[in-house]
Amino acid sequence: MEEIYIKARAKVNLNLEILGKREDNYHNLESIFQKVNLYDEIYIKKTETDDFKLNINVKELNTKENIIYKAYVKLKEQYKVINGIEVTVNKKIPMQAGMAGGSTDCAAFIIAMNKLFDLKLTKKEIDSLGKSLGADVVPCFYNKAVKAEGIGEMITSIDTHFKYYMVIIKPEMDCNTKEMYQKIDAKKDLKQLHTTENIIKALENNDVQLLANNLYNVFEEVIQEKEMMQHIKKELMKKGALQALMTGSGSCIYGIFEDKQSAKNAYLALKDRYQTYICTSYNVKKGEMF
């Protein structure tokens, strides 16, 4: 094998609770991560050189600060069989959006490199490498709904193949993850809903109404642009969403719809006013990882 192509799928959080700050300055969380059918495309090709070359359609990401380059360096240090590669990324997932665009690119890259160079990495080795690169990378290895705990590295698989429809809006605002966590730490009277078990039940029973009724994200409590967020949520619900929620630490907001036609109608009504996406949940049929 001389080259490989892989889809790096985005995620949304169906719920997100922050359970406290740790001594290492990370935060313990509890969240249901749902992969969706919106993805970046990654092409990796072996070269005759010993160098790394990155081509990406977002200029500011085309640097050695890119998480893909950091993953390459770690892999090359551990596995001498790895030589030069050229990586091309067609980025479609919006940035600073709470959809794990960087983390899922990193996860997909590691999976692809394992196949391209026949590294025979175990699941434990893949998880360990992902954790060393970023808190969101580990749940991004799983192309399905999972419960994530700890800093995101403790994964429980959910028995579901539920396909439901979403319309996602990227507002004209960006949310800095570090700053959003600082706001959580500063808020003294933070009360959180605990909806994980109901969401798992909804996913296992294909119950879209139960799922919609239990969407929750603690970061909605501290976002500065709360008025804009609430306006977009109301827009989605006026267009037929059963419920709407901000994903991750922001800023994308998604609505869940009862059926494909309802989602399509909402997308067509909103796409000229907002940066808008329509997609479905994604739960891989075979295995758990890519």
Side-chain angles (χ1 to χ4, degrees), residues 57-248:
N57 60 331
V58 180
K59 188 177 179 181
E60 57 265 37
L61 297 180
N62 204 357
T63 73
K64 290 191 174 181
E65 291 303 306
N66 193 295
I67 194 169
I68 290 175
Y69 177 71
K70 293 176 180 178
Y72 170 77
V73 170
K74 281 184 176 284
L75 282 166
K76 201 169 189 302
E77 284 173 354
Q78 294 179 43
Y79 302 97
K80 302 307 177 187
V81 68
I82 294 174
N83 48 25
I85 57 169
E86 182 175 352
V87 182
T88 301
V89 181
N90 180 22
K91 195 139 193 68
K92 300 177 184 177
I93 302 169
M95 298 187 298
Q96 288 192 300
M99 299 191 74
S103 295
T104 199
D105 286 355
C106 180
F109 175 77
I110 291 167
I111 295 292
M113 289 289 285
N114 186 37
K115 293 177 181 176
L116 186 62
F117 288 95
D118 194 25
L119 302 178
K120 296 182 172 61
L121 298 177
T122 64
K123 180 178 176 294
K124 185 176 179 181
E125 288 169 332
I126 288 171
D127 281 350
S128 177
L129 179 59
K131 184 182 175 183
S132 74
L133 288 157
D136 268 0
V137 175
V138 176
C140 287
F141 285 126
Y142 298 82
N143 260 340
K144 61 177 299 184
V146 295
K147 179 170 79 167
E149 298 175 277
I151 63 170
E153 87 286 9
M154 295 166 57
I155 303 297
T156 304
S157 183
I158 298 171
D159 183 17
T160 183
H161 299 301
F162 186 24
K163 181 180 179 180
Y164 51 95
Y165 295 85
M166 283 174 255
V167 172
I168 302 169
I169 290 176
K170 173 64 172 73
E172 290 183 2
M173 62 179 182
D174 295 324
C175 294
N176 181 285
T177 302
K178 184 178 179 181
E179 290 175 6
M180 291 295 282
Y181 274 99
Q182 288 171 347
K183 289 176 183 177
I184 290 284
D185 292 338
K187 193 168 176 64
K188 302 300 180 188
D189 57 342
L190 195 64
K191 294 179 181 177
Q192 302 191 71
L193 301 180
H194 303 290
T195 63
T196 298
E197 293 311 311
N198 281 341
I199 288 174
I200 291 172
K201 184 179 177 182
L203 292 173
E204 289 177 342
N205 291 282
N206 296 0
D207 190 335
V208 71
Q209 188 64 63
L210 182 62
L211 177 61
N213 290 347
N214 285 279
L215 299 181
Y216 173 72
N217 185 349
V218 67
F219 284 106
E220 288 192 352
E221 307 295 321
V222 298
I223 188 169
Q224 189 171 344
E225 298 86 351
K226 190 168 285 190
E227 194 173 314
M228 182 190 292
M229 180 198 68
Q230 292 294 353
H231 176 74
I232 291 171
K233 288 175 72 172
K234 286 176 183 175
E235 286 265 77
L236 283 161
M237 293 176 73
K238 279 180 187 175
K239 299 302 181 189
L242 298 173
Q243 189 53 268
L245 189 75
M246 185 175 79
T247 181

Side-chain angles (χ1 to χ4, degrees), residues 253-289:
I253 297 157
Y254 66 92
I256 288 183
F257 291 79
E258 196 159 15
D259 54 58
K260 182 178 181 179
Q261 191 60 51
S262 300
K264 187 177 179 180
N265 292 344
Y267 170 76
L268 292 172
L270 295 167
K271 70 182 181 66
D272 292 333
R273 285 190 284 143
Y274 299 103
Q275 184 179 334
T276 309
Y277 306 82
I278 184 170
C279 61
T280 66
S281 57
Y282 186 84
N283 293 297
V284 70
K285 294 288 192 294
K286 293 180 181 179
E288 292 181 347
M289 286 189 166

